[in-house]
Amino acid sequence: MKKVIYGLTLATAISALFTLNSCTKDPKPAPVDEQEEYDDVEILFITLNADGSQSTDTTKVSFDSKGVPSPSHKHLAPETTYRVLINLYYKGNSINHEIIEEGTEHQFFFNPSIPEGITNYVYNDKDTDNRGIGLDGNMTIGEGEFDLKIVLRHGLNKAHASAQSWNSTTYHEAGGEDDLNVTFEIHAEDH
């Protein structure tokens, strides 16, 4: 009888030890890479003169937190270079400083629906590794009617081959997640 009681006591003690041990060693969750939270986006197209100086001609497109553009399309001059400034807001305050502070983790991509929609883009702002961010850049518009998708990627590997081009359609292969993914229509035609 003593052997049975001793065996039961030992089994209960071992079971309790495993139960207590499993409660105290819960795995820690992986750190969450928080995305930027915004409720308003403003994109300014400032016409550049032939000498590269800025004119006073500015076109603005705004997006709400659901990505709905206002207006739904914009008329821009074909074969013209614009300084493009992107401003993200949360509760009326700019969050651009957060994107700049974490510049090595953020990059904008610009994807026109037709190849000749945008003929060139140059990042004017760089992160600490001298890689483009995209809150400020120069964009040369081609000709035609096209949709322009603008994506802000967060947490990507900016050294990856798919992050090397401003118009990469495979940017997702560099990892990360979209902070912003909006589309609007551009009409770039001579009238």
Side-chain angles (χ1 to χ4, degrees):
M1 182 74 161
K2 285 184 182 183
K3 284 183 179 182
V4 171
I5 292 175
Y6 176 75
L8 286 174
T9 304
L10 182 61
T12 303
I14 290 173
S15 176
L17 181 63
F18 282 121
T19 301
L20 288 174
N21 203 16
S22 67
C23 290
T24 59
K25 290 191 178 181
D26 286 339
K28 292 182 182 178
V32 176
D33 193 15
E34 291 187 25
Q35 292 179 272
E36 305 312 325
E37 198 172 339
Y38 68 91
D39 53 21
D40 186 32
V41 178
E42 173 185 82
I43 302 173
L44 302 175
F45 291 85
I46 304 166
T47 305
L48 297 181
N49 297 315
D51 65 359
S53 63
Q54 286 187 187
S55 73
T56 56
D57 183 18
T58 302
T59 302
K60 179 173 104 172
V61 178
S62 297
F63 297 87
D64 64 17
S65 61
K66 295 178 180 152
V68 177
S70 176
S72 62
H73 74 274
K74 271 298 184 184
H75 291 274
L76 297 175
E79 307 306 324
T80 302
T81 301
Y82 294 87
R83 182 175 182 198
V84 178
L85 299 175
I86 300 175
N87 298 300
L88 287 90
Y89 299 95
Y90 182 66
K91 295 184 178 178
N93 297 309
S94 173
I95 62 165
N96 284 14
H97 64 281
E98 294 176 24
I99 294 167
I100 293 167
E101 287 170 6
E102 299 174 357
T104 58
E105 299 177 17
H106 288 95
Q107 185 174 350
F108 282 90
F109 296 92
F110 304 89
N111 299 125
S113 59
I114 59 173
E116 58 275 4
I118 299 174
T119 58
N120 193 30
Y121 179 85
V122 176
Y123 293 99
N124 290 337
D125 52 356
K126 308 278 178 151
D127 64 22
T128 56
D129 294 329
N130 205 31
R131 293 189 173 103
I133 298 173
L135 288 167
D136 183 351
N138 289 356
M139 181 182 291
T140 304
I141 301 293
E143 190 168 356
E145 290 184 14
F146 59 94
D147 290 337
L148 176 59
K149 179 168 84 167
I150 300 176
V151 175
L152 171 59
R153 200 72 175 168
H154 181 182
L156 74 164
N157 173 4
K158 292 174 79 170
H160 191 279
S162 291
Q164 300 309 302
S165 177
W166 57 268
N167 61 350
S168 173
T169 56
T170 59
Y171 59 83
H172 58 277
E173 292 177 7
E177 296 182 41
D178 292 354
D179 272 346
L180 174 73
N181 190 327
V182 295
T183 302
F184 69 104
E185 191 175 335
I186 292 177
H187 295 187
E189 300 168 314
D190 286 321
H191 295 321

